[in-house]
Amino acid sequence: MTLTYDDIAEQQADIVRLLLHHIHTPLPDGWFIRGVLPSPPPAAEVRVVTGPQRTSVPDDLMVWEIPLRTIDAPEELLGPNDVLGIVRALNTGTQIFSSSRVDTVMGMILIHVNPEQVAPVGPGECDNAFTILRTLTYPWTEEQPDPRLRGFLPQGPDRMRLYVDHEEDTEVVGADVRPSGALTALLAALPSLIEERERMVRGEIDDPHCSRLIDLVDW
């Protein structure tokens, strides 16, 4: 089977759904998942942001760029649990990386991860308990909402960037929202709002994870 970018986009969205749990549940080193970023196409990767629970300051955050293909199975993609196991391992103890694997993105340190050199850490008791409860309350389904959440990243106090795509179009749109705002109305209107070109942020966008950016903070 030849993988397409549609397959990669679908896998990125599935990974986001699983990793949301760790916004509130710490990783082994006490850090939390602070965001998930869809790697720019056509890369078969996902970028997972970790850091202290209550920070959105770029200097305090680490981005782990994880390839979804492996050498052993290049026509298959790592699943959400595979990615979570790698993230757990990367946040266990001290990690040392060569300078060739260290970069920056949006003011955050970016580490290019080689999954072949990481021994994944399996789920703990709390993770398994969460799986039971989540499955009984929110059964897993392949059908995702429209727009589909491809990633997220806090941008500061009461500000979050959502990364979504829309109606089988894998072009990622960034949408800056205010979590304390009128969430019910915003979420209901989001499919149409991300299509309104007048809301689009003009000029150069310092974010390689979306092709355009919509400002909904004051909506």
Short mmCIF file of all heavy atoms in Angstrom, two decimals, residues 135-190:
data_model
loop_
_atom_site.label_atom_id
_atom_site.label_comp_id
_atom_site.label_asym_id
_atom_site.label_seq_id
_atom_site.Cartn_x
_atom_site.Cartn_y
_atom_site.Cartn_z
N THR A 135 -13.16 4.71 26.61
CA THR A 135 -13.84 3.84 25.65
C THR A 135 -15.32 3.70 25.98
O THR A 135 -16.17 3.64 25.08
CB THR A 135 -13.17 2.45 25.63
OG1 THR A 135 -11.78 2.61 25.31
CG2 THR A 135 -13.83 1.55 24.61
N LEU A 136 -15.64 3.66 27.26
CA LEU A 136 -17.04 3.51 27.66
C LEU A 136 -17.84 4.80 27.50
O LEU A 136 -19.06 4.76 27.32
CB LEU A 136 -17.12 3.04 29.12
CG LEU A 136 -16.65 1.60 29.36
CD1 LEU A 136 -16.59 1.30 30.85
CD2 LEU A 136 -17.56 0.61 28.64
N THR A 137 -17.18 5.93 27.59
CA THR A 137 -17.91 7.21 27.50
C THR A 137 -17.80 7.85 26.12
O THR A 137 -18.74 8.49 25.65
CB THR A 137 -17.38 8.20 28.55
OG1 THR A 137 -15.96 8.32 28.44
CG2 THR A 137 -17.74 7.74 29.95
N TYR A 138 -16.64 7.70 25.47
CA TYR A 138 -16.43 8.25 24.13
C TYR A 138 -15.85 7.16 23.24
O TYR A 138 -14.64 7.13 23.00
CB TYR A 138 -15.47 9.45 24.18
CG TYR A 138 -15.97 10.59 25.02
CD1 TYR A 138 -15.49 10.79 26.31
CD2 TYR A 138 -16.93 11.47 24.52
CE1 TYR A 138 -15.95 11.84 27.09
CE2 TYR A 138 -17.40 12.51 25.29
CZ TYR A 138 -16.91 12.69 26.58
OH TYR A 138 -17.37 13.73 27.34
N PRO A 139 -16.69 6.25 22.77
CA PRO A 139 -16.19 5.13 21.95
C PRO A 139 -15.41 5.65 20.74
O PRO A 139 -15.78 6.66 20.13
CB PRO A 139 -17.47 4.41 21.50
CG PRO A 139 -18.49 4.80 22.53
CD PRO A 139 -18.15 6.19 22.94
N TRP A 140 -14.31 4.95 20.43
CA TRP A 140 -13.47 5.37 19.31
C TRP A 140 -14.21 5.15 18.00
O TRP A 140 -14.82 4.12 17.76
CB TRP A 140 -12.17 4.56 19.30
CG TRP A 140 -11.17 5.09 18.33
CD1 TRP A 140 -11.01 4.72 17.02
CD2 TRP A 140 -10.19 6.10 18.57
NE1 TRP A 140 -9.99 5.42 16.44
CE2 TRP A 140 -9.46 6.29 17.38
CE3 TRP A 140 -9.85 6.85 19.69
CZ2 TRP A 140 -8.42 7.19 17.26
CZ3 TRP A 140 -8.81 7.75 19.58
CH2 TRP A 140 -8.11 7.92 18.38
N THR A 141 -14.17 6.13 17.13
CA THR A 141 -14.80 6.02 15.82
C THR A 141 -13.87 6.61 14.78
O THR A 141 -13.13 7.56 15.05
CB THR A 141 -16.15 6.76 15.78
OG1 THR A 141 -16.64 6.77 14.43
CG2 THR A 141 -16.02 8.20 16.26
N GLU A 142 -13.86 6.02 13.58
CA GLU A 142 -13.00 6.53 12.52
C GLU A 142 -13.55 7.82 11.94
O GLU A 142 -12.83 8.58 11.29
CB GLU A 142 -12.86 5.48 11.41
CG GLU A 142 -12.06 4.26 11.85
CD GLU A 142 -11.79 3.31 10.70
OE1 GLU A 142 -12.20 3.63 9.57
OE2 GLU A 142 -11.19 2.25 10.94
N GLU A 143 -14.84 8.08 12.15
CA GLU A 143 -15.44 9.31 11.63
C GLU A 143 -15.11 10.47 12.56
O GLU A 143 -15.49 10.46 13.74
CB GLU A 143 -16.95 9.14 11.49
CG GLU A 143 -17.63 10.36 10.88
CD GLU A 143 -19.12 10.15 10.68
OE1 GLU A 143 -19.56 8.99 10.79
OE2 GLU A 143 -19.82 11.14 10.44
N GLN A 144 -14.42 11.47 12.04
CA GLN A 144 -14.01 12.60 12.85
C GLN A 144 -14.88 13.82 12.55
O GLN A 144 -15.50 13.91 11.49
CB GLN A 144 -12.54 12.93 12.58
CG GLN A 144 -11.60 11.79 12.95
CD GLN A 144 -10.34 12.31 13.61
OE1 GLN A 144 -10.24 13.44 14.07
NE2 GLN A 144 -9.35 11.45 13.66
N PRO A 145 -14.95 14.76 13.51
CA PRO A 145 -15.75 15.96 13.29
C PRO A 145 -15.20 16.78 12.12
O PRO A 145 -14.07 16.61 11.69
CB PRO A 145 -15.62 16.73 14.61
CG PRO A 145 -15.16 15.73 15.61
CD PRO A 145 -14.33 14.73 14.85
N ASP A 146 -16.00 17.68 11.63
CA ASP A 146 -15.59 18.62 10.60
C ASP A 146 -15.85 20.03 11.14
O ASP A 146 -16.99 20.37 11.42
CB ASP A 146 -16.39 18.38 9.31
CG ASP A 146 -15.93 19.28 8.17
OD1 ASP A 146 -14.77 19.72 8.21
OD2 ASP A 146 -16.74 19.54 7.26
N PRO A 147 -14.83 20.86 11.32
CA PRO A 147 -13.43 20.64 10.95
C PRO A 147 -12.74 19.63 11.87
O PRO A 147 -13.14 19.44 13.02
CB PRO A 147 -12.81 22.03 11.07
CG PRO A 147 -13.65 22.73 12.09
CD PRO A 147 -15.04 22.20 11.89
N ARG A 148 -11.67 19.04 11.35
CA ARG A 148 -10.92 18.00 12.06
C ARG A 148 -9.72 18.64 12.76
O ARG A 148 -8.97 19.41 12.17
CB ARG A 148 -10.44 16.95 11.06
CG ARG A 148 -9.58 15.85 11.65
CD ARG A 148 -9.27 14.80 10.61
NE ARG A 148 -8.53 15.32 9.46
CZ ARG A 148 -8.09 14.57 8.45
NH1 ARG A 148 -8.35 13.27 8.45
NH2 ARG A 148 -7.43 15.11 7.45
N LEU A 149 -9.54 18.31 14.04
CA LEU A 149 -8.44 18.86 14.81
C LEU A 149 -7.15 18.13 14.46
O LEU A 149 -7.01 16.94 14.71
CB LEU A 149 -8.72 18.75 16.31
CG LEU A 149 -7.68 19.37 17.25
CD1 LEU A 149 -7.61 20.88 17.06
CD2 LEU A 149 -7.99 19.02 18.70
N ARG A 150 -6.17 18.87 13.93
CA ARG A 150 -4.88 18.29 13.58
C ARG A 150 -3.79 18.65 14.58
O ARG A 150 -2.71 18.06 14.56
CB ARG A 150 -4.46 18.79 12.19
CG ARG A 150 -5.34 18.30 11.04
CD ARG A 150 -4.89 16.97 10.52
NE ARG A 150 -3.53 17.03 10.03
CZ ARG A 150 -3.19 17.48 8.81
NH1 ARG A 150 -4.13 17.91 7.97
NH2 ARG A 150 -1.93 17.48 8.42
N GLY A 151 -4.07 19.63 15.46
CA GLY A 151 -3.08 20.01 16.45
C GLY A 151 -3.56 21.19 17.28
O GLY A 151 -4.62 21.76 17.02
N PHE A 152 -2.75 21.56 18.27
CA PHE A 152 -3.09 22.68 19.14
C PHE A 152 -1.83 23.16 19.84
O PHE A 152 -0.87 22.39 19.99
CB PHE A 152 -4.14 22.28 20.18
CG PHE A 152 -3.67 21.20 21.12
CD1 PHE A 152 -3.12 21.53 22.36
CD2 PHE A 152 -3.75 19.87 20.78
CE1 PHE A 152 -2.65 20.55 23.22
CE2 PHE A 152 -3.30 18.87 21.63
CZ PHE A 152 -2.75 19.21 22.85
N LEU A 153 -1.84 24.42 20.27
CA LEU A 153 -0.70 24.97 21.01
C LEU A 153 -1.14 26.21 21.77
O LEU A 153 -1.65 27.16 21.17
CB LEU A 153 0.44 25.35 20.05
CG LEU A 153 1.73 25.85 20.70
CD1 LEU A 153 2.44 24.71 21.45
CD2 LEU A 153 2.66 26.45 19.67
N PRO A 154 -0.98 26.24 23.11
CA PRO A 154 -1.25 27.46 23.86
C PRO A 154 -0.34 28.58 23.38
O PRO A 154 0.86 28.36 23.12
CB PRO A 154 -0.94 27.07 25.31
CG PRO A 154 -1.03 25.58 25.34
CD PRO A 154 -0.57 25.13 24.00
N GLN A 155 -0.89 29.78 23.28
CA GLN A 155 -0.11 30.93 22.80
C GLN A 155 0.12 31.99 23.87
O GLN A 155 0.73 33.01 23.60
CB GLN A 155 -0.85 31.57 21.61
CG GLN A 155 -0.92 30.68 20.38
CD GLN A 155 0.40 30.64 19.64
OE1 GLN A 155 0.80 31.61 19.01
NE2 GLN A 155 1.08 29.50 19.72
N GLY A 156 -0.36 31.73 25.07
CA GLY A 156 -0.22 32.70 26.14
C GLY A 156 -1.45 32.63 27.02
O GLY A 156 -2.33 31.79 26.82
N PRO A 157 -1.55 33.51 28.01
CA PRO A 157 -2.72 33.51 28.88
C PRO A 157 -4.01 33.68 28.07
O PRO A 157 -4.14 34.62 27.29
CB PRO A 157 -2.48 34.72 29.80
CG PRO A 157 -0.99 34.89 29.79
CD PRO A 157 -0.55 34.53 28.40
N ASP A 158 -4.94 32.75 28.24
CA ASP A 158 -6.25 32.80 27.60
C ASP A 158 -6.17 32.92 26.08
O ASP A 158 -6.92 33.65 25.45
CB ASP A 158 -7.07 33.97 28.17
CG ASP A 158 -8.57 33.76 27.96
OD1 ASP A 158 -8.99 32.60 27.79
OD2 ASP A 158 -9.30 34.77 27.96
N ARG A 159 -5.25 32.19 25.49
CA ARG A 159 -5.11 32.20 24.03
C ARG A 159 -4.56 30.85 23.58
O ARG A 159 -3.57 30.37 24.12
CB ARG A 159 -4.18 33.34 23.58
CG ARG A 159 -4.15 33.56 22.07
CD ARG A 159 -3.17 34.68 21.73
NE ARG A 159 -3.17 34.96 20.31
CZ ARG A 159 -3.72 36.03 19.76
NH1 ARG A 159 -4.33 36.92 20.52
NH2 ARG A 159 -3.66 36.23 18.45
N MET A 160 -5.23 30.25 22.60
CA MET A 160 -4.79 28.95 22.09
C MET A 160 -4.92 28.95 20.57
O MET A 160 -5.86 29.53 20.01
CB MET A 160 -5.65 27.82 22.68
CG MET A 160 -5.36 26.45 22.09
SD MET A 160 -6.36 25.13 22.84
CE MET A 160 -5.54 24.96 24.42
N ARG A 161 -3.96 28.29 19.94
CA ARG A 161 -4.03 28.12 18.48
C ARG A 161 -4.49 26.71 18.17
O ARG A 161 -3.89 25.73 18.63
CB ARG A 161 -2.67 28.40 17.83
CG ARG A 161 -2.68 28.26 16.30
CD ARG A 161 -1.46 28.94 15.69
NE ARG A 161 -1.49 30.37 15.97
CZ ARG A 161 -0.47 31.20 15.71
NH1 ARG A 161 0.66 30.74 15.18
NH2 ARG A 161 -0.57 32.49 16.00
N LEU A 162 -5.56 26.60 17.40
CA LEU A 162 -6.06 25.32 16.92
C LEU A 162 -5.57 25.12 15.49
O LEU A 162 -5.53 26.07 14.71
CB LEU A 162 -7.59 25.28 16.94
CG LEU A 162 -8.27 25.60 18.28
CD1 LEU A 162 -9.79 25.61 18.09
CD2 LEU A 162 -7.87 24.59 19.35
N TYR A 163 -5.22 23.90 15.16
CA TYR A 163 -4.84 23.56 13.80
C TYR A 163 -5.89 22.60 13.26
O TYR A 163 -6.05 21.50 13.79
CB TYR A 163 -3.45 22.91 13.77
CG TYR A 163 -2.34 23.81 14.25
CD1 TYR A 163 -2.00 23.86 15.60
CD2 TYR A 163 -1.65 24.62 13.36
CE1 TYR A 163 -0.97 24.69 16.05
CE2 TYR A 163 -0.62 25.46 13.81
CZ TYR A 163 -0.29 25.48 15.15
OH TYR A 163 0.71 26.31 15.60
N VAL A 164 -6.62 23.02 12.24
CA VAL A 164 -7.73 22.22 11.74
C VAL A 164 -7.66 22.11 10.23
O VAL A 164 -7.03 22.93 9.55
CB VAL A 164 -9.09 22.82 12.16
CG1 VAL A 164 -9.23 22.88 13.67
CG2 VAL A 164 -9.27 24.23 11.57
N ASP A 165 -8.29 21.05 9.70
CA ASP A 165 -8.55 21.01 8.26
C ASP A 165 -10.05 20.80 8.07
O ASP A 165 -10.79 20.58 9.02
CB ASP A 165 -7.67 20.00 7.53
CG ASP A 165 -7.85 18.56 8.03
OD1 ASP A 165 -8.87 18.28 8.69
OD2 ASP A 165 -6.98 17.73 7.75
N HIS A 166 -10.49 20.85 6.81
CA HIS A 166 -11.92 21.06 6.58
C HIS A 166 -12.38 20.31 5.33
O HIS A 166 -11.79 20.48 4.25
CB HIS A 166 -12.14 22.57 6.41
CG HIS A 166 -13.57 23.00 6.35
ND1 HIS A 166 -14.56 22.47 7.13
CD2 HIS A 166 -14.17 23.96 5.60
CE1 HIS A 166 -15.71 23.08 6.87
NE2 HIS A 166 -15.49 23.98 5.93
N GLU A 167 -13.39 19.44 5.49
CA GLU A 167 -14.07 18.81 4.36
C GLU A 167 -13.11 18.13 3.39
O GLU A 167 -13.04 18.48 2.21
CB GLU A 167 -14.93 19.84 3.61
CG GLU A 167 -16.14 20.31 4.39
CD GLU A 167 -17.02 21.24 3.57
OE1 GLU A 167 -16.58 21.70 2.50
OE2 GLU A 167 -18.15 21.51 4.01
N GLU A 168 -12.37 17.14 3.89
CA GLU A 168 -11.47 16.33 3.08
C GLU A 168 -10.34 17.12 2.45
O GLU A 168 -9.65 16.63 1.55
CB GLU A 168 -12.26 15.59 1.98
CG GLU A 168 -13.33 14.65 2.53
CD GLU A 168 -14.05 13.91 1.43
OE1 GLU A 168 -13.74 14.14 0.25
OE2 GLU A 168 -14.93 13.09 1.75
N ASP A 169 -10.14 18.35 2.88
CA ASP A 169 -9.02 19.17 2.40
C ASP A 169 -7.96 19.15 3.50
O ASP A 169 -8.21 19.60 4.62
CB ASP A 169 -9.50 20.61 2.15
CG ASP A 169 -8.39 21.50 1.63
OD1 ASP A 169 -7.23 21.03 1.52
OD2 ASP A 169 -8.67 22.68 1.34
N THR A 170 -6.77 18.63 3.20
CA THR A 170 -5.75 18.49 4.24
C THR A 170 -4.94 19.76 4.46
O THR A 170 -4.01 19.76 5.26
CB THR A 170 -4.79 17.34 3.90
OG1 THR A 170 -4.21 17.57 2.60
CG2 THR A 170 -5.51 16.00 3.90
N GLU A 171 -5.30 20.86 3.79
CA GLU A 171 -4.64 22.14 4.08
C GLU A 171 -4.95 22.54 5.52
O GLU A 171 -6.11 22.62 5.92
CB GLU A 171 -5.15 23.22 3.12
CG GLU A 171 -4.56 24.60 3.42
CD GLU A 171 -5.28 25.73 2.69
OE1 GLU A 171 -6.54 25.67 2.57
OE2 GLU A 171 -4.60 26.66 2.26
N VAL A 172 -3.91 22.79 6.31
CA VAL A 172 -4.10 23.10 7.72
C VAL A 172 -4.33 24.60 7.90
O VAL A 172 -3.55 25.43 7.41
CB VAL A 172 -2.89 22.65 8.56
CG1 VAL A 172 -3.06 23.06 10.02
CG2 VAL A 172 -2.71 21.14 8.47
N VAL A 173 -5.39 24.92 8.62
CA VAL A 173 -5.72 26.30 8.96
C VAL A 173 -5.46 26.50 10.45
O VAL A 173 -5.92 25.70 11.27
CB VAL A 173 -7.19 26.63 8.63
CG1 VAL A 173 -7.52 28.07 9.02
CG2 VAL A 173 -7.47 26.38 7.17
N GLY A 174 -4.72 27.54 10.81
CA GLY A 174 -4.55 27.89 12.21
C GLY A 174 -5.65 28.84 12.64
O GLY A 174 -6.00 29.76 11.89
N ALA A 175 -6.22 28.62 13.82
CA ALA A 175 -7.28 29.50 14.32
C ALA A 175 -6.95 29.86 15.76
O ALA A 175 -6.93 28.99 16.64
CB ALA A 175 -8.64 28.82 14.24
N ASP A 176 -6.67 31.14 16.02
CA ASP A 176 -6.40 31.60 17.37
C ASP A 176 -7.71 31.89 18.08
O ASP A 176 -8.54 32.67 17.57
CB ASP A 176 -5.54 32.88 17.34
CG ASP A 176 -4.09 32.58 17.01
OD1 ASP A 176 -3.69 31.40 17.08
OD2 ASP A 176 -3.33 33.52 16.69
N VAL A 177 -7.92 31.25 19.23
CA VAL A 177 -9.17 31.39 19.97
C VAL A 177 -8.89 31.76 21.42
O VAL A 177 -7.77 31.62 21.91
CB VAL A 177 -10.00 30.09 19.92
CG1 VAL A 177 -10.32 29.72 18.49
CG2 VAL A 177 -9.27 28.94 20.61
N ARG A 178 -9.93 32.24 22.10
CA ARG A 178 -9.84 32.60 23.52
C ARG A 178 -10.64 31.58 24.32
O ARG A 178 -11.88 31.56 24.25
CB ARG A 178 -10.38 34.01 23.72
CG ARG A 178 -10.25 34.56 25.14
CD ARG A 178 -10.41 36.08 25.14
NE ARG A 178 -11.55 36.52 24.36
CZ ARG A 178 -12.78 36.69 24.82
NH1 ARG A 178 -13.03 36.44 26.11
NH2 ARG A 178 -13.76 37.10 24.04
N PRO A 179 -9.98 30.69 25.10
CA PRO A 179 -10.69 29.64 25.83
C PRO A 179 -11.78 30.15 26.76
O PRO A 179 -12.73 29.42 27.05
CB PRO A 179 -9.57 28.94 26.60
CG PRO A 179 -8.36 29.14 25.75
CD PRO A 179 -8.51 30.53 25.19
N SER A 180 -11.65 31.39 27.26
CA SER A 180 -12.68 31.91 28.18
C SER A 180 -13.84 32.55 27.43
O SER A 180 -14.76 33.07 28.06
CB SER A 180 -12.06 32.95 29.13
OG SER A 180 -11.67 34.11 28.41
N GLY A 181 -13.82 32.51 26.10
CA GLY A 181 -14.87 33.16 25.32
C GLY A 181 -16.13 32.32 25.23
O GLY A 181 -16.33 31.36 25.98
N ALA A 182 -16.99 32.69 24.28
CA ALA A 182 -18.27 31.99 24.09
C ALA A 182 -18.01 30.70 23.32
O ALA A 182 -18.22 30.60 22.11
CB ALA A 182 -19.24 32.90 23.34
N LEU A 183 -17.58 29.66 24.05
CA LEU A 183 -17.09 28.45 23.40
C LEU A 183 -18.17 27.70 22.62
O LEU A 183 -17.92 27.20 21.53
CB LEU A 183 -16.47 27.51 24.44
CG LEU A 183 -15.17 28.00 25.09
CD1 LEU A 183 -14.62 26.92 26.01
CD2 LEU A 183 -14.15 28.35 24.03
N THR A 184 -19.37 27.59 23.19
CA THR A 184 -20.43 26.85 22.50
C THR A 184 -20.72 27.47 21.15
O THR A 184 -20.81 26.77 20.12
CB THR A 184 -21.70 26.81 23.36
OG1 THR A 184 -21.40 26.19 24.62
CG2 THR A 184 -22.79 26.02 22.65
N ALA A 185 -20.87 28.78 21.12
CA ALA A 185 -21.15 29.47 19.86
C ALA A 185 -19.96 29.39 18.91
O ALA A 185 -20.12 29.18 17.70
CB ALA A 185 -21.50 30.94 20.14
N LEU A 186 -18.75 29.54 19.45
CA LEU A 186 -17.56 29.49 18.61
C LEU A 186 -17.41 28.13 17.94
O LEU A 186 -17.17 28.05 16.72
CB LEU A 186 -16.32 29.79 19.45
CG LEU A 186 -14.97 29.59 18.75
CD1 LEU A 186 -14.81 30.58 17.61
CD2 LEU A 186 -13.82 29.71 19.74
N LEU A 187 -17.55 27.06 18.71
CA LEU A 187 -17.37 25.72 18.15
C LEU A 187 -18.44 25.41 17.11
O LEU A 187 -18.18 24.73 16.11
CB LEU A 187 -17.37 24.69 19.27
CG LEU A 187 -16.18 24.78 20.23
CD1 LEU A 187 -16.35 23.82 21.40
CD2 LEU A 187 -14.88 24.50 19.49
N ALA A 188 -19.65 25.90 17.33
CA ALA A 188 -20.72 25.68 16.36
C ALA A 188 -20.46 26.42 15.06
O ALA A 188 -20.79 25.93 13.97
CB ALA A 188 -22.06 26.11 16.96
N ALA A 189 -19.85 27.60 15.17
CA ALA A 189 -19.63 28.44 13.99
C ALA A 189 -18.28 28.18 13.32
O ALA A 189 -18.03 28.68 12.22
CB ALA A 189 -19.73 29.92 14.38
N LEU A 190 -17.41 27.40 13.96
CA LEU A 190 -16.04 27.23 13.46
C LEU A 190 -15.96 26.76 12.01
O LEU A 190 -15.13 27.28 11.25
CB LEU A 190 -15.28 26.27 14.38
CG LEU A 190 -13.76 26.21 14.19
CD1 LEU A 190 -13.12 27.57 14.42
CD2 LEU A 190 -13.14 25.17 15.14
#
